[in-house]
Amino acid sequence: MPHSLEATATVTLSPEEAFALAHTLGADRIAWDSHVEKRMLLGDARSIDRGVKVFERVKDGRRVILEYDVWFPGQLSSNRMVKGPWWLASYGEGWHFHETAGGTKVTWKITYEHAAKVLSDQLGAVMKLSFKSELDERMADFVAASLDAALVRDAVSGQLPKFARHRDR
């Protein structure tokens, strides 16, 4: 049975700025997301869009290839895991942006299902704590990054930062 967790915060950016920051890649993503070691476009992609695949490696060693299935800039995005660690049966992330007075309410949601049938209740409880802690820390990183004018400017520029494409290595 899939599980879902979410973290919500309000930032003083427009929905378009918050959306761009949330979907940074390469050096720009590493600059603000303390859990990410790599996040890059795969194939010939030059930007994220529906159907585009992104590779992500986080500091706990988890490696996933995510494919975007929803892409509405400034509003909503979601992706699903197409390849990942053996212990994850499924994984996906979604971002939602809603304009509020003085900023944007941002919700980052993950859904996941572990693959182990043995000790599934115990493993599920451990994964929930781990994923919730990671999600909360990453949302706090996002909020801090939203205050960095240079990082936000780079995110909305549309220019790919260093290490944003696998093909450019």
Side-chain angles (χ1 to χ4, degrees):
M1 176 199 257
H3 305 278
S4 65
L5 300 167
E6 64 182 51
T8 299
T10 300
V11 296
T12 58
L13 301 174
S14 71
E16 293 75 21
E17 290 169 324
F19 188 92
L21 182 62
H23 295 90
T24 51
L25 300 159
D28 287 352
R29 184 54 169 252
I30 293 166
W32 72 260
D33 192 334
S34 64
H35 282 264
V36 170
E37 291 181 335
K38 274 187 184 174
R39 184 171 173 85
M40 67 180 97
L41 297 165
L42 296 177
D44 293 326
R46 294 201 146 299
S47 62
I48 300 175
D49 203 341
R50 192 168 193 256
V52 168
K53 292 179 181 161
V54 172
F55 170 81
E56 182 176 87
R57 182 178 71 212
V58 296
K59 292 192 179 190
D60 70 2
R62 186 175 71 245
R63 292 171 170 85
V64 294
I65 295 176
L66 303 166
E67 181 176 2
Y68 281 83
D69 50 8
V70 175
W71 188 255
F72 295 106
Q75 300 172 37
L76 176 69
S77 73
S78 75
N79 60 51
R80 62 180 178 78
M81 180 180 76
V82 294
K83 186 174 182 182
W86 66 268
W87 48 268
L88 272 177
S90 66
Y91 179 85
E93 298 180 349
W95 288 85
H96 185 263
F97 304 84
H98 179 73
E99 190 169 11
T100 63
T104 300
K105 179 180 174 185
V106 179
T107 301
W108 190 355
K109 181 177 181 177
I110 65 168
T111 59
Y112 64 93
E113 185 174 5
H114 60 81
K117 302 300 178 208
V118 178
L119 302 172
S120 63
D121 290 341
Q122 294 85 344
L123 182 57
V126 170
M127 285 178 70
K128 182 177 182 178
L129 288 173
S130 177
F131 276 143
K132 181 60 176 158
S133 174
E134 178 183 328
L135 186 61
D136 289 344
E137 288 172 15
R138 292 176 79 180
M139 181 56 91
D141 290 345
F142 176 80
V143 170
S146 76
L147 302 173
D148 183 332
L151 191 54
V152 173
R153 185 179 59 249
D154 287 349
V156 300
S157 75
Q159 299 296 314
L160 287 176
K162 191 173 183 182
F163 309 121
R165 293 184 71 235
H166 180 263
R167 296 239 188 247
D168 294 341
R169 299 201 146 268

